[in-house]
Coordinates of all heavy atoms in Angstrom, one line a residue:
A207 N 28.8 -15.0 14.0 CA 27.9 -14.2 13.2 C 28.4 -14.2 11.7 O 27.6 -14.3 10.8 CB 27.9 -12.7 13.7
A208 N 29.7 -14.0 11.6 CA 30.3 -14.0 10.2 C 30.2 -15.3 9.6 O 29.9 -15.4 8.4 CB 31.8 -13.6 10.3
K209 N 30.4 -16.4 10.3 CA 30.3 -17.8 9.8 C 28.8 -18.0 9.3 O 28.7 -18.5 8.2 CB 30.6 -18.8 10.9 CG 30.5 -20.2 10.4 CD 30.9 -21.2 11.5 CE 30.7 -22.6 11.1 NZ 31.0 -23.6 12.2
T210 N 27.8 -17.7 10.1 CA 26.4 -17.9 9.7 C 26.1 -17.1 8.4 O 25.4 -17.6 7.5 CB 25.5 -17.6 10.8 OG1 25.8 -18.4 11.9 CG2 24.0 -17.9 10.4
T211 N 26.5 -15.8 8.4 CA 26.3 -15.0 7.2 C 26.9 -15.6 6.0 O 26.3 -15.7 4.9 CB 26.8 -13.6 7.5 OG1 26.2 -13.0 8.6 CG2 26.5 -12.7 6.3
A212 N 28.1 -16.1 6.1 CA 28.8 -16.7 4.9 C 28.1 -18.0 4.5 O 28.0 -18.2 3.3 CB 30.3 -17.0 5.3
V213 N 27.6 -18.8 5.5 CA 27.0 -20.0 5.1 C 25.7 -19.7 4.3 O 25.3 -20.6 3.5 CB 26.6 -20.8 6.4 CG1 25.6 -21.9 6.2 CG2 27.9 -21.4 7.0
L214 N 25.1 -18.6 4.5 CA 23.9 -18.2 3.8 C 24.2 -17.5 2.5 O 23.6 -17.8 1.4 CB 23.0 -17.3 4.6 CG 22.3 -17.9 5.9 CD1 21.5 -16.8 6.6 CD2 21.4 -19.1 5.5
F215 N 25.1 -16.6 2.5 CA 25.4 -15.7 1.4 C 26.1 -16.4 0.3 O 25.8 -16.2 -0.9 CB 26.2 -14.5 1.9 CG 26.4 -13.4 0.8 CD1 25.3 -12.8 0.2 CD2 27.6 -13.1 0.3 CE1 25.4 -11.8 -0.8 CE2 27.8 -12.2 -0.7 CZ 26.7 -11.5 -1.2
I216 N 27.1 -17.2 0.6 CA 27.9 -17.8 -0.5 C 27.1 -18.8 -1.3 O 27.1 -18.8 -2.6 CB 29.2 -18.5 0.1 CG1 30.1 -17.4 0.7 CG2 29.9 -19.3 -0.9 CD1 31.3 -17.9 1.4
P217 N 26.4 -19.7 -0.7 CA 25.5 -20.6 -1.5 C 24.4 -19.9 -2.3 O 24.1 -20.3 -3.4 CB 24.8 -21.6 -0.5 CG 25.8 -21.5 0.7 CD 26.3 -20.1 0.7
L218 N 23.9 -18.8 -1.7 CA 22.9 -18.0 -2.4 C 23.5 -17.4 -3.7 O 22.9 -17.5 -4.8 CB 22.5 -16.8 -1.5 CG 21.3 -16.0 -2.1 CD1 20.0 -16.7 -2.0 CD2 21.2 -14.7 -1.3
L219 N 24.8 -16.9 -3.6 CA 25.4 -16.4 -4.8 C 25.6 -17.5 -5.8 O 25.5 -17.3 -7.0 CB 26.8 -15.8 -4.4 CG 26.8 -14.4 -3.8 CD1 28.2 -14.0 -3.5 CD2 26.1 -13.4 -4.7
A220 N 26.0 -18.7 -5.3 CA 26.2 -19.8 -6.2 C 25.0 -20.3 -6.9 O 25.0 -20.5 -8.2 CB 26.8 -21.0 -5.4
V221 N 23.9 -20.3 -6.2 CA 22.6 -20.7 -6.8 C 22.2 -19.7 -7.9 O 21.8 -20.1 -9.0 CB 21.5 -20.8 -5.8 CG1 20.1 -20.9 -6.5 CG2 21.7 -22.0 -4.9
Y222 N 22.3 -18.4 -7.6 CA 21.9 -17.4 -8.6 C 22.9 -17.4 -9.8 O 22.5 -17.1 -10.9 CB 21.8 -16.0 -8.0 CG 20.4 -15.8 -7.4 CD1 20.1 -16.0 -6.1 CD2 19.4 -15.4 -8.3 CE1 18.9 -15.8 -5.6 CE2 18.1 -15.2 -7.8 CZ 17.8 -15.4 -6.4 OH 16.6 -15.2 -5.9
A223 N 24.2 -17.6 -9.5 CA 25.1 -17.7 -10.7 C 24.8 -18.9 -11.6 O 24.8 -18.7 -12.8 CB 26.5 -17.9 -10.1
L224 N 24.4 -20.0 -11.0 CA 24.0 -21.2 -11.8 C 22.7 -20.9 -12.6 O 22.6 -21.2 -13.8 CB 23.7 -22.4 -10.9 CG 23.3 -23.7 -11.5 CD1 24.4 -24.1 -12.5 CD2 23.0 -24.7 -10.5
L225 N 21.7 -20.2 -11.9 CA 20.5 -19.9 -12.6 C 20.7 -18.9 -13.8 O 20.0 -19.0 -14.8 CB 19.5 -19.3 -11.7 CG 18.9 -20.3 -10.6 CD1 18.1 -19.5 -9.6 CD2 18.1 -21.4 -11.2
L226 N 21.7 -18.0 -13.6 CA 22.0 -17.1 -14.7 C 22.7 -17.7 -15.8 O 22.8 -17.2 -16.9 CB 22.7 -15.9 -14.1 CG 21.9 -14.9 -13.2 CD1 22.8 -13.9 -12.6 CD2 20.8 -14.2 -14.0
L227 N 23.3 -18.9 -15.6 CA 24.1 -19.6 -16.6 C 23.2 -20.5 -17.4 O 23.5 -20.8 -18.6 CB 25.3 -20.3 -16.0 CG 26.4 -19.5 -15.5 CD1 27.4 -20.3 -14.8 CD2 27.1 -18.7 -16.6
L228 N 22.2 -21.0 -16.8 CA 21.3 -22.0 -17.5 C 20.4 -21.3 -18.5 O 19.8 -20.3 -18.2 CB 20.5 -22.8 -16.5 CG 21.2 -23.7 -15.5 CD1 20.3 -24.3 -14.5 CD2 22.0 -24.8 -16.3
P229 N 20.2 -21.8 -19.7 CA 19.4 -21.1 -20.7 C 18.0 -20.8 -20.3 O 17.5 -19.7 -20.5 CB 19.5 -22.1 -21.9 CG 20.7 -22.9 -21.7 CD 20.8 -23.1 -20.2
G230 N 17.3 -21.8 -19.7 CA 15.9 -21.6 -19.4 C 15.7 -20.5 -18.3 O 14.7 -19.7 -18.4
T231 N 16.5 -20.6 -17.3 CA 16.3 -19.7 -16.2 C 16.9 -18.3 -16.3 O 16.5 -17.3 -15.7 CB 16.8 -20.3 -14.9 OG1 18.2 -20.7 -15.1 CG2 16.0 -21.6 -14.5
S232 N 18.0 -18.3 -17.1 CA 18.7 -17.0 -17.3 C 17.8 -15.9 -17.9 O 17.8 -14.8 -17.6 CB 19.9 -17.1 -18.2 OG 19.6 -17.6 -19.5
E233 N 16.9 -16.4 -18.9 CA 15.9 -15.5 -19.5 C 15.0 -14.9 -18.5 O 14.6 -13.8 -18.5 CB 15.2 -16.2 -20.6 CG 14.2 -15.4 -21.3 CD 13.3 -16.1 -22.3 OE1 13.7 -17.2 -22.7 OE2 12.3 -15.6 -22.7
T234 N 14.5 -15.8 -17.5 CA 13.6 -15.3 -16.5 C 14.2 -14.2 -15.7 O 13.6 -13.1 -15.5 CB 13.3 -16.5 -15.6 OG1 12.6 -17.5 -16.3 CG2 12.4 -16.1 -14.4
F235 N 15.4 -14.4 -15.2 CA 16.0 -13.4 -14.3 C 16.5 -12.1 -15.1 O 16.4 -11.0 -14.6 CB 17.1 -14.0 -13.5 CG 16.6 -14.9 -12.4 CD1 16.6 -16.3 -12.6 CD2 16.1 -14.4 -11.3 CE1 16.1 -17.1 -11.6 CE2 15.6 -15.2 -10.3 CZ 15.6 -16.6 -10.5
T236 N 16.9 -12.4 -16.4 CA 17.3 -11.2 -17.2 C 16.0 -10.3 -17.5 O 16.1 -9.1 -17.4 CB 17.9 -11.7 -18.5 OG1 19.0 -12.5 -18.2 CG2 18.3 -10.5 -19.4
S237 N 14.9 -11.0 -17.8 CA 13.7 -10.2 -18.1 C 13.2 -9.5 -16.9 O 12.8 -8.4 -16.9 CB 12.6 -11.2 -18.6 OG 13.0 -11.8 -19.9
W238 N 13.3 -10.2 -15.7 CA 12.8 -9.6 -14.5 C 13.7 -8.4 -14.1 O 13.2 -7.4 -13.7 CB 12.9 -10.7 -13.3 CG 12.8 -10.0 -12.0 CD1 11.6 -9.6 -11.4 CD2 13.8 -9.8 -11.1 NE1 11.9 -9.1 -10.1 CE2 13.3 -9.2 -9.9 CE3 15.2 -10.1 -11.1 CZ2 14.0 -8.8 -8.8 CZ3 16.0 -9.7 -10.0 CH2 15.4 -9.1 -8.9
Y239 N 15.0 -8.5 -14.3 CA 15.9 -7.4 -14.1 C 15.6 -6.2 -14.9 O 15.5 -5.1 -14.5 CB 17.3 -7.9 -14.3 CG 18.4 -6.8 -14.1 CD1 18.8 -6.4 -12.9 CD2 18.9 -6.2 -15.3 CE1 19.8 -5.4 -12.8 CE2 19.9 -5.2 -15.2 CZ 20.3 -4.8 -13.9 OH 21.2 -3.8 -13.8
E240 N 15.3 -6.5 -16.2 CA 15.0 -5.4 -17.1 C 13.7 -4.8 -16.9 O 13.5 -3.5 -16.9 CB 15.1 -5.9 -18.6 CG 16.5 -6.3 -19.0 CD 16.6 -6.9 -20.4 OE1 15.5 -7.3 -20.9 OE2 17.7 -7.1 -20.9
N241 N 12.7 -5.6 -16.5 CA 11.3 -5.1 -16.3 C 11.1 -4.4 -15.0 O 10.3 -3.5 -14.9 CB 10.3 -6.3 -16.4 CG 10.1 -6.8 -17.8 OD1 10.4 -6.1 -18.8 ND2 9.7 -8.1 -17.9
R242 N 11.8 -4.9 -14.0 CA 11.6 -4.3 -12.6 C 12.8 -3.4 -12.2 O 12.6 -2.3 -11.9 CB 11.4 -5.4 -11.6 CG 10.2 -6.3 -11.9 CD 8.9 -5.4 -11.9 NE 8.7 -4.8 -10.6 CZ 7.6 -4.0 -10.3 NH1 6.7 -3.7 -11.2 NH2 7.5 -3.4 -9.1
I243 N 14.0 -4.0 -12.1 CA 15.1 -3.3 -11.5 C 15.5 -2.1 -12.3 O 15.6 -1.0 -11.8 CB 16.3 -4.2 -11.3 CG1 15.9 -5.5 -10.5 CG2 17.4 -3.5 -10.6 CD1 15.3 -5.2 -9.1
V244 N 15.7 -2.3 -13.6 CA 16.2 -1.2 -14.4 C 15.1 -0.1 -14.5 O 15.4 1.1 -14.3 CB 16.5 -1.7 -15.9 CG1 16.8 -0.5 -16.8 CG2 17.7 -2.6 -15.8
Q245 N 13.9 -0.5 -14.7 CA 12.8 0.6 -14.8 C 12.5 1.2 -13.5 O 12.2 2.4 -13.4 CB 11.5 -0.1 -15.4 CG 11.7 -0.5 -16.8 CD 10.4 -1.0 -17.4 OE1 9.3 -0.4 -17.1 NE2 10.4 -2.0 -18.3
T246 N 12.7 0.5 -12.4 CA 12.4 1.0 -11.1 C 13.5 2.1 -10.8 O 13.2 3.2 -10.3 CB 12.5 0.0 -10.0 OG1 11.4 -0.9 -10.1 CG2 12.4 0.6 -8.6
F247 N 14.8 1.8 -11.0 CA 15.8 2.7 -10.7 C 15.9 3.8 -11.8 O 16.4 4.9 -11.5 CB 17.2 2.0 -10.6 CG 17.4 1.4 -9.2 CD1 17.0 0.1 -9.0 CD2 17.9 2.1 -8.2 CE1 17.1 -0.6 -7.8 CE2 18.1 1.5 -6.9 CZ 17.7 0.2 -6.8
G248 N 15.3 3.6 -12.9 CA 15.3 4.6 -14.0 C 14.1 5.6 -13.8 O 14.0 6.5 -14.6
G249 N 13.3 5.3 -12.8 CA 12.1 6.2 -12.6 C 10.9 5.9 -13.3 O 9.9 6.6 -13.2
T250 N 10.9 4.8 -14.1 CA 9.7 4.5 -14.9 C 8.5 4.1 -14.0 O 7.4 4.5 -14.2 CB 10.0 3.3 -15.8 OG1 11.1 3.6 -16.6 CG2 8.8 3.0 -16.7
H251 N 8.9 3.5 -12.9 CA 7.8 3.0 -11.9 C 7.8 4.0 -10.7 O 7.8 3.5 -9.6 CB 8.1 1.6 -11.4 CG 8.0 0.6 -12.5 ND1 8.6 -0.6 -12.5 CD2 7.3 0.6 -13.7 CE1 8.3 -1.3 -13.6 NE2 7.6 -0.6 -14.3
D252 N 7.7 5.2 -11.0 CA 7.6 6.2 -9.9 C 6.2 6.3 -9.4 O 5.3 6.8 -10.0 CB 8.0 7.6 -10.4 CG 8.0 8.7 -9.3 OD1 7.5 8.4 -8.2 OD2 8.5 9.8 -9.6
T253 N 5.9 5.6 -8.3 CA 4.5 5.5 -7.7 C 4.3 6.5 -6.6 O 3.2 6.6 -6.1 CB 4.3 4.1 -7.3 OG1 5.2 3.7 -6.3 CG2 4.3 3.1 -8.4
S254 N 5.3 7.2 -6.1 CA 5.2 8.0 -4.9 C 5.5 9.5 -5.1 O 5.0 10.3 -4.5 CB 6.0 7.4 -3.8 OG 7.4 7.5 -4.0
G255 N 6.5 9.7 -6.1 CA 7.0 11.1 -6.3 C 7.9 11.5 -5.2 O 8.4 12.7 -5.2
S256 N 8.3 10.7 -4.3 CA 9.2 11.1 -3.2 C 10.0 9.9 -2.7 O 9.5 8.7 -2.7 CB 8.4 11.6 -2.0 OG 9.2 11.8 -0.9
H257 N 11.2 10.1 -2.3 CA 12.0 9.0 -1.7 C 11.6 8.7 -0.2 O 12.0 7.7 0.3 CB 13.5 9.4 -1.7 CG 14.1 9.3 -3.1 ND1 14.5 8.1 -3.6 CD2 14.4 10.3 -4.0 CE1 15.0 8.3 -4.8 NE2 15.0 9.6 -5.1
F258 N 10.8 9.6 0.3 CA 10.4 9.4 1.8 C 9.0 9.1 2.0 O 8.5 9.1 3.1 CB 10.8 10.7 2.5 CG 12.2 11.1 2.3 CD1 12.6 12.1 1.5 CD2 13.2 10.4 3.0 CE1 13.9 12.4 1.3 CE2 14.6 10.7 2.9 CZ 14.9 11.7 2.0
H259 N 8.3 8.7 1.0 CA 6.9 8.3 1.1 C 6.6 7.2 2.1 O 5.7 7.2 2.9 CB 6.3 8.0 -0.3 CG 4.9 7.5 -0.3 ND1 3.8 8.3 -0.1 CD2 4.3 6.2 -0.4 CE1 2.7 7.7 -0.1 NE2 3.0 6.4 -0.3

Side-chain angles (χ1 to χ4, degrees):
K209 179 182 177 181
T210 300
T211 303
V213 165
L214 293 178
F215 186 63
I216 294 173
L218 186 74
L219 283 181
V221 168
Y222 272 98
L224 179 62
L225 292 174
L226 289 171
L227 290 173
L228 296 175
T231 55
S232 63
E233 181 186 342
T234 297
F235 288 99
T236 301
S237 298
W238 168 75
Y239 175 79
E240 293 172 350
N241 289 337
R242 297 299 301 178
I243 304 301
V244 172
Q245 293 189 34
T246 294
F247 281 91
T250 304
H251 295 158
D252 183 349
T253 57
S254 66
S256 169
H257 284 285
F258 304 102
H259 175 74

